[in-house]
């Protein structure tokens, strides 16, 4: 089992910045990748950014050039630096950890942190 605890959400004006943090504990040796998803009201949860143990990253087109994902393996923590925030970035942001195999992945989720961007 992997436990994820997020922090760093809040209210910010458009154009501002926030940094989200997610600390992992438990069976961290099993984690293959960590990332962030978000869910806006009335919408499906969507991938924001993910970073694998090998260092590969993937971003949603809507956040490329504005958001940066990073990992501190010594602290078992993943970060999401969000710059040039837009009102459409408003959502609950969830930390995600993936373990298991490619054919049978196991996903773990944090409790979510609210990000609200005012216009």
């Amino acid at each position: 089992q992997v436990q994820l605890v997020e922090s760093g959400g809040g209210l910010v004006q458009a154009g501002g910045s926030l940094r989200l943090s997610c600390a992992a504990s438990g069976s961290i040796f099993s984690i293959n990748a960590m990332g962030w998803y978000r869910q806006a009201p009335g919408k499906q949860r969507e991938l924001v950014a993910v970073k694998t143990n090998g260092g590969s990253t993937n971003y949603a087109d809507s956040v490329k050039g504005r958001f940066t994902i990073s990992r501190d393996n010594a602290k078992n923590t993943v970060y999401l630096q969000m710059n040039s925030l837009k009102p459409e970035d408003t959502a609950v942001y969830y930390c995600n950890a993936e373990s298991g195999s490619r054919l049978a992945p196991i996903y773990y989720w944090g409790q979510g942190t609210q990000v609200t961007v005012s216009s």
Side-chain angles (χ1 to χ4, degrees):
Q1 292 289 327
V2 174
Q3 294 78 44
L4 303 171
V5 178
E6 302 132 336
S7 61
L11 173 65
V12 65
Q13 288 188 333
S17 298
L18 281 175
R19 189 176 83 153
L20 305 182
S21 301
C22 173
S25 61
S27 300
I28 56 175
F29 60 89
S30 68
I31 296 175
N32 299 321
M34 294 187 72
W36 294 90
Y37 286 69
R38 67 186 180 186
Q39 187 166 18
K43 295 187 177 181
Q44 290 187 335
R45 190 173 297 189
E46 62 176 1
L47 171 72
V48 177
V50 64
K51 187 164 188 172
T52 68
N53 289 358
S56 298
T57 57
N58 187 32
Y59 293 91
D61 288 342
S62 59
V63 307
K64 284 180 180 177
R66 300 187 298 122
F67 291 11
T68 302
I69 188 170
S70 61
R71 289 175 65 179
D72 184 335
N73 292 327
K75 295 182 178 179
N76 302 315
T77 300
V78 63
Y79 304 95
L80 185 68
Q81 178 66 44
M82 305 184 293
N83 298 328
S84 302
L85 282 161
K86 304 175 181 180
E88 51 264 44
D89 294 319
T90 296
V92 177
Y93 283 69
Y94 295 93
C95 180
N96 167 270
E98 178 184 329
S99 66
S101 66
R102 180 167 294 183
L103 294 179
I106 302 171
Y107 297 105
Y108 299 93
W109 298 94
Q111 78 282 3
T113 185
Q114 178 70 47
V115 171
T116 302
V117 184
S118 64
S119 57

